[in-house]
Amino acid sequence: MSDVSSDGILKGVKELSLVHKLSMHLGVFVILIGGWELGSRLGYVNELIMPPPTAIGYRLYEMFFITGSIYWHYFVTMFEAVCGFIIGVSIGLSLAVTSAISPVFRRYWAPYAVVFNVTPGIAVTPFIIAWFGFGWSSKIALAALVCFFPPFINTLTGLLYIDKDATELFRSLGANRKQYFWKLQIPSALPIIIAGLKLAMTGALIGAIVAEFFSASEGVGILMQRFAFRLNMDGSFAALIVMSLMGLSLFTLMEYMDVKVLFWRRHSRMEEVSKKRKAKWSIN
Amino acid sequence: MADEVVIEAKGLTKAFTETVIAVEDAIFQIPKGSFISLVGPSGCGKSTLLRLIAGLIDKTDGNISVRNAEVTGPRKDIGLMFQKAVLLEWRTAIENVLLPNEIRGDVGPEAKQKAWDGLQLVGLKDFEFSFPRQLSGGMQQRVALARLLQTGADIMLLDEPFGALDEFTRERLNVELLRIVDDPEITTIFVTHNITEAIFLADKVFVMTPRPGRIAAMIDINLPKPRTIEMETTPEFNALIKEVRDVLSGHLDGAPL
Ligand SMILES: Nc1ncnc2c1ncn2[C@@H]1O[C@H](COP(=O)(O)OP(=O)(O)OP(=O)(O)O)[C@@H](O)[C@H]1O
Ligand SMILES: [Mg+2]
């Protein structure tokens, strides 16, 4: 998973030049899409089940550049997912920190978080709609519910499993609880916390879209469903691609944060930061 | 004077469980400025003894005092070094060295200058802003050594500090370490598995035997100082090695290692 040191996960893949890599990606993409299009044109693929890529492409073009209808839906779903993410992560992190600090809390309250997690979040959707109504808030609530657990469990694990020698070092230096928390526990746990945030981001998007499927008047989820009900397959697929786009942009954001924050896990970043710290150093 | 007692143990005992007695009835006095080597087989209680002195764990029985005060917790005048370097990966070398100051809340120009000088002293010029992952194992231990010096402690408890390194690096670092702690103000306890090394470095060798962890012998090393490699081949030196070995094997006769 992403909490593994990032250097060399892909060691097996030979390093190629950027142009070479891009053309490889493009080649694979063209073969896939071309094969699909050809299959449709030659009548091997039923257009009602799998519309040809050109039709989907046209539909996307229409949504983005002719009617511009997609932008509002895109914004709504993104907003719901991101709000849900922020709320879910805040809850997950607070629970984790409280559990890490207080063994009593951990023992008697944290198990409920686990029960919560093993209950399929999606099955709770009807309740959420009943409690929060048909507007955006129910989508945000479901997104938050679905995504709070990974940050919770990852953060708790990260905060509790601290190197024994490092703990002893801090004790021998006379560190207080606060120093121990901020200078050792949090930085040690950051890699696994960020891995949890990445999972939460995907979860939040799923939560928002599923809640939209249930009942909504705006958002990419309901847009897709409307197309599907009208058997408008190119529209449905176009909406699906928009969802992928959303997922991709959120994921990219998280990756960016990962690279920024966890500089000590990547050699190139370490060199950069090392230079910066050197430039900033002054005796006074 | 040289005879001022810095560390004193009387009947010091630590039992983790009824059967695991890591340290039993330790009695010793360590004078200021002396260098004590602590040898003994794995699991005999060496680290436990150091932790008791450092105030990191509580004793079960007896007394342990430092500068005539009962040890109740970590003290500023005691510095520790472990087999691992235990550096914080997200901090540069110099930031790691400054950790003791940060924890005490006195990161001023003086502390920074001292950290800088410390890194030069342990031979890490030009690596001040490297992160631990950019350094070799030996270099990481040097950072740990600079951090130890930065604490300003004058009692050094060194638990096989270079045990994880290769033979060459270990020997070189030992020489450098010796140069640093060869100071009448600094009292050192040095844990090692290597008998030759233990004798070579010490004023006195404590030999520990396991189950229960006891200090079976305290052997004075009256070889002249400074010590030289040639001394290792003298009859006196060999007699000392034999003496330590005898204590260890006398105990180990028939016992599994
Ligand atoms: N926290 C602990 N809880 C229970 N038993 C412990 C604990 N720490 C050490 N022991 C036991 O105490 C004994 C002495 O351990 P210690 O670590 O002091 O040995 P050591 O001489 O330092 O060994 P080594 O040379 O391998 O480092 C061992 O039997 C060990 O299992
Ligand atoms: Mg040990």
Side-chain angles (χ1 to χ4, degrees):
Chain A
M1 274 293 323
S2 31
D3 55 331
V4 177
S5 164
S6 319
D7 296 317
I9 284 178
L10 296 177
K11 272 282 157 61
V13 179
K14 215 173 100 201
E15 275 309 312
L16 302 169
S17 74
L18 186 65
V19 178
H20 197 149
K21 275 193 281 191
L22 278 179
S23 51
M24 290 288 276
H25 279 302
L26 199 69
V28 172
F29 185 75
V30 166
I31 290 171
L32 278 173
I33 299 294
W36 179 0
E37 181 77 35
L38 206 67
S40 287
R41 292 274 161 107
L42 298 178
Y44 291 118
V45 183
N46 185 341
E47 289 201 11
L48 267 182
I49 297 166
M50 284 283 267
T54 41
I56 300 168
Y58 179 74
R59 191 63 71 171
L60 279 171
Y61 173 74
E62 192 182 63
M63 284 173 173
F64 277 96
F65 303 110
I66 298 180
T67 62
S69 59
I70 192 66
Y71 295 110
W72 177 244
H73 294 295
Y74 190 97
F75 168 77
V76 170
T77 305
M78 272 298 228
F79 183 81
E80 292 163 350
V82 170
C83 284
F85 173 79
I86 292 170
I87 295 170
V89 166
S90 309
I91 295 173
L93 291 183
S94 335
L95 281 176
V97 170
T98 318
S99 307
I101 291 173
S102 155
V104 174
F105 185 89
R106 183 161 74 239
R107 180 124 176 58
Y108 296 103
W109 287 94
Y112 291 97
V114 178
V115 173
F116 231 66
N117 180 52
V118 295
T119 312
I122 288 161
V124 188
T125 320
F127 297 101
I128 298 268
I129 306 257
W131 294 332
F132 292 90
F134 298 107
W136 294 7
S137 45
S138 54
K139 317 317 180 273
I140 294 173
L142 190 68
L145 183 81
V146 173
C147 81
F148 93 97
F149 195 74
F152 164 73
I153 199 71
N154 278 25
T155 306
L156 182 57
T157 310
L159 291 177
L160 289 184
Y161 293 94
I162 301 295
D163 182 65
K164 261 186 64 196
D165 288 337
T167 303
E168 227 158 55
L169 172 74
F170 270 68
R171 290 225 298 134
S172 77
L173 292 174
N176 59 33
R177 266 231 62 110
K178 202 173 136 200
Q179 290 169 325
Y180 180 72
F181 183 75
W182 289 110
K183 289 181 197 293
L184 182 62
Q185 277 184 298
I186 287 284
S188 307
L190 265 182
I192 183 166
I193 293 178
I194 287 181
L197 296 187
K198 285 184 182 173
L199 291 173
M201 195 78 253
T202 326
L205 188 59
I206 293 174
I209 288 172
V210 166
E212 283 178 4
F213 280 166
F214 258 77
S215 85
S217 51
E218 44 201 358
V220 179
I222 194 67
L223 185 73
M224 179 177 185
Q225 211 168 34
R226 281 185 198 142
F227 283 130
F229 282 158
R230 279 185 260 136
L231 291 183
N232 179 343
M233 277 312 182
D234 11 330
S236 298
F237 267 89
L240 184 65
I241 288 174
V242 171
M243 289 176 189
S244 305
L245 266 172
M246 297 171 99
L248 203 62
S249 49
L250 292 173
F251 183 77
T252 310
L253 197 74
M254 299 308 287
E255 274 301 308
Y256 178 76
M257 186 182 79
D258 185 321
V259 173
K260 271 280 162 211
V261 177
L262 302 179
F263 61 83
W264 65 91
R265 311 204 111 205
R266 288 178 177 80
H267 276 284
S268 55
R269 283 281 294 140
M270 243 172 351
E271 273 161 34
E272 239 173 82
V273 176
S274 167
K275 282 195 192 107
K276 263 190 216 156
R277 303 250 169 123
K278 186 171 185 172
K280 253 179 58 189
W281 171 264
S282 77
I283 283 288
N284 297 298
Chain B
M1 258 319 294
D3 285 322
E4 182 195 333
V5 172
V6 181
I7 306 171
E8 181 166 26
K10 277 189 222 136
L12 181 62
T13 298
K14 173 73 188 183
F16 284 107
T17 65
E18 251 172 61
T19 47
V20 182
I21 302 165
V23 176
E24 188 179 69
D25 195 22
I27 305 173
F28 55 81
Q29 294 188 331
I30 298 177
K32 179 169 148 189
S34 54
F35 192 113
I36 307 292
S37 287
L38 183 55
V39 290
S42 187
C44 70
K46 305 180 294 293
S47 301
T48 306
L49 182 58
L50 290 199
R51 286 196 172 90
L52 285 167
I53 300 170
L56 291 171
I57 52 175
D58 293 325
K59 63 190 183 238
T60 325
D61 207 355
N63 283 91
I64 172 74
S65 54
V66 171
R67 299 207 153 89
N68 293 319
E70 189 70 32
V71 174
T72 52
R75 299 170 51 106
K76 274 192 180 177
D77 54 354
I78 295 184
L80 283 158
M81 198 163 160
F82 311 88
Q83 191 166 4
K84 285 196 299 171
V86 201
L87 301 178
L88 307 181
E89 292 190 309
W90 49 91
R91 286 170 173 255
T92 59
I94 196 150
E95 287 165 351
N96 266 290
V97 176
L98 279 166
L99 182 70
N101 300 94
E102 257 181 55
I103 284 173
R104 287 169 196 171
D106 67 349
V107 191
E110 240 171 82
K112 286 183 173 178
Q113 186 63 52
K114 185 174 175 189
W116 185 272
D117 296 341
L119 284 172
Q120 318 298 308
L121 182 70
V122 298
L124 284 180
K125 184 172 156 39
D126 296 335
F127 291 96
E128 297 89 352
F129 301 99
S130 298
F131 287 96
R133 283 197 183 198
Q134 297 173 301
L135 301 173
S136 70
M139 289 158 101
Q140 293 183 15
Q141 279 295 1
R142 287 166 192 264
V143 177
L145 182 56
R147 182 182 59 200
L148 174 67
L149 300 176
Q150 186 77 7
T151 61
D154 57 5
I155 299 173
M156 310 275 195
L157 306 181
L158 313 172
D159 198 349
E160 294 181 66
F162 310 122
L165 303 177
D166 63 274
E167 185 95 25
F168 297 113
T169 319
R170 200 178 74 212
E171 220 141 80
R172 279 195 48 197
L173 285 174
N174 272 338
V175 171
E176 291 178 33
L177 174 69
L178 253 199
R179 215 183 53 219
I180 290 164
V181 300
D182 184 20
D183 176 330
E185 295 300 317
I186 294 181
T187 310
T188 310
I189 304 183
F190 182 84
V191 172
T192 174
H193 277 119
N194 185 326
I195 297 175
T196 310
E197 182 177 284
I199 296 170
F200 184 79
L201 298 173
D203 298 309
K204 201 177 237 193
V205 175
F206 287 10
V207 187
M208 252 184 118
T209 52
R211 282 168 295 242
R214 281 181 160 271
I215 300 179
M218 296 188 229
I219 301 170
D220 284 310
I221 309 297
N222 291 318
L223 300 170
K225 282 187 164 183
R227 308 269 162 86
T228 57
I229 297 284
E230 293 77 62
M231 283 180 196
E232 288 187 13
T233 50
T234 61
E236 293 98 309
F237 201 96
N238 285 314
L240 287 165
I241 291 182
K242 187 170 179 318
E243 202 178 336
V244 174
R245 287 237 165 91
D246 285 347
V247 175
L248 288 171
S249 60
H251 179 86
L252 292 175
D253 267 350
L257 244 177

